[in-house]
Amino acid sequence: MNFKELNVRPEVVAALDKIQITDATEIQEKVIPLALQGKDVIGISKTGSGKTLAFAIPILEKVLPKKGPQALILAPTRELAEQIKNEIGRFGQRTGLTATAIYGGVGFERQVYDLRQCEIVVATPGRCLDHLRQGNFKVDRIRIAVLDEADKMVSMGFIEDVGVIFGQLPRQRQTLLFGATISLEVEKIKKTQMNDPVTVQAQVHVEEEFLDQFYYDVDQREKFSLLVHLIKTEDPHLAIVFCSSRQNADVITKNLQRQRIDAEAIHGGISQPRRLRIIEDFNRGKPHILVATEVAARGLDIKNVTHVFNYDIPINSEDYVHRVGRTARAGAKGKAISLLCQRDYGLFQAIFDRYRNLKITALEKPQFPRLMFDAGQRRFGSGRGRPFGGDRRGQRRR
């Protein structure tokens, strides 16, 4: 359906037309009519499915200009909060409404001023609580509350803060909750903070029609050399290399740069202004390789990624889906390649056990030159590995 058929106000439809968004995604088509009716909604869908617009449109329809903060959106990371604020600014540019983002790592004074001027607040839980406790954020007029990336809130340990914040909001409000999965902790928010919510679900798995998934079995000492070989032979337009820690991301980035590969690291140890700058530059194609921890896997507006490389396999199986969901978006083709060494087998098996329909093809290890790798203080561990996939999938193909 298009947004006119969903009865979206003309000013918002015109703003969407201007940025060439005309047809609703599955999650938007399911959530928007219910939200416009005033119902509490739980939306379950994968990263990149258009959740921001699914809750932004009801907010832009119901919030009034010059009446103070009337909508609160909670996001798990500073980057996502900033992105949501910017997206609402684009969608609602003709409505006269103002959104602000409040998060840690920056000063209070400007945020206090913005809280007095805006109608829509996008916040991380910790800084939102800070402003509430200091009396800077008046929530008595909040009509709509949104919890975005609810499962990420749980994994980052923010869900208790979310409960405290929601407990201070007016009871007579509308609540929208979004995530890729609904955990027991999120169920508690549903039972205590939502009013007879309707649950809708869109496609939550990887669209295999557009995404090709592969893995290589490689010795830990050859991982970096294989990564460089693949980057040079695949020649990605934009690629994200996922690592398990900040230290790994920094080490891999420095070694890629020594190989004259245009790469930058992004993780929680980098200052907020620099992280935003790196994302903006990456979207413009420089650098064309982003080496990231999980901070880049959820929610961030990173477009036109053609390749995802899993240098380290994620500890949480759900993070695999979020990682590979950075590519093959909006009908474009993408490729996800995982590099496995012996210690990764257990984690990779867990991904198969969690997502039984995944099709990840084993590839023969190519011939490639062995490169020098400066690990710094990093130490490579070892452990007992085991084959993955089990009898259900057959033996690994070599």
Side-chain angles (χ1 to χ4, degrees), residues 119-227:
E119 293 83 22
I120 303 164
V121 178
V122 190
T124 54
R127 182 52 64 97
C128 184
L129 275 177
D130 291 340
H131 282 290
L132 285 172
R133 288 165 179 161
Q134 295 187 25
N136 302 325
F137 184 13
K138 306 298 182 183
V139 297
D140 54 304
R141 294 185 180 180
I142 295 294
R143 304 170 62 188
I144 303 178
V146 177
L147 179 60
D148 194 19
E149 299 282 0
D151 46 335
K152 189 66 173 177
M153 291 284 196
V154 173
S155 66
M156 295 178 70
F158 294 153
I159 202 68
E160 290 186 9
D161 290 347
V162 170
V164 173
I165 294 167
F166 276 11
Q168 297 188 42
L169 303 182
R171 291 295 299 176
Q172 297 301 315
R173 69 169 192 274
Q174 182 179 15
T175 304
L176 309 176
L177 186 152
F178 293 86
T181 59
I182 301 300
S183 64
L184 292 175
E185 293 89 346
V186 176
E187 281 284 345
K188 184 178 179 181
I189 294 291
K190 170 185 172 182
K191 292 177 181 178
T192 60
Q193 301 294 339
M194 302 185 77
N195 179 30
D196 194 21
V198 180
T199 300
V200 299
Q201 181 166 323
Q203 175 70 31
V204 295
H205 300 299
V206 177
E207 295 182 45
E208 293 174 352
E209 176 185 354
F210 301 108
L211 176 63
D212 295 322
Q213 300 177 76
F214 304 101
Y215 72 85
Y216 289 95
D217 202 348
V218 61
D219 188 280
Q220 174 68 57
R221 294 167 295 184
E222 298 179 327
K223 253 192 182 184
F224 177 74
S225 298
L226 176 56
L227 175 65

Side-chain angles (χ1 to χ4, degrees), residues 100-118 127 130-131 134-137:
T100 190
I102 59 174
Y103 44 75
V106 295
F108 261 65
E109 288 188 12
R110 179 67 190 186
Q111 293 182 355
V112 172
Y113 175 82
D114 289 343
L115 284 168
R116 294 170 180 165
Q117 308 300 317
C118 71
R127 182 52 64 97
D130 291 340
H131 282 290
Q134 295 187 25
N136 302 325
F137 184 13

Side-chain angles (χ1 to χ4, degrees), residues 349 352-353 386-396:
Q349 176 67 57
F352 279 111
D353 292 342
R386 60 184 177 87
F388 38 85
D391 293 337
R392 173 175 54 80
R393 300 195 166 273
Q395 297 298 316
R396 288 177 293 130

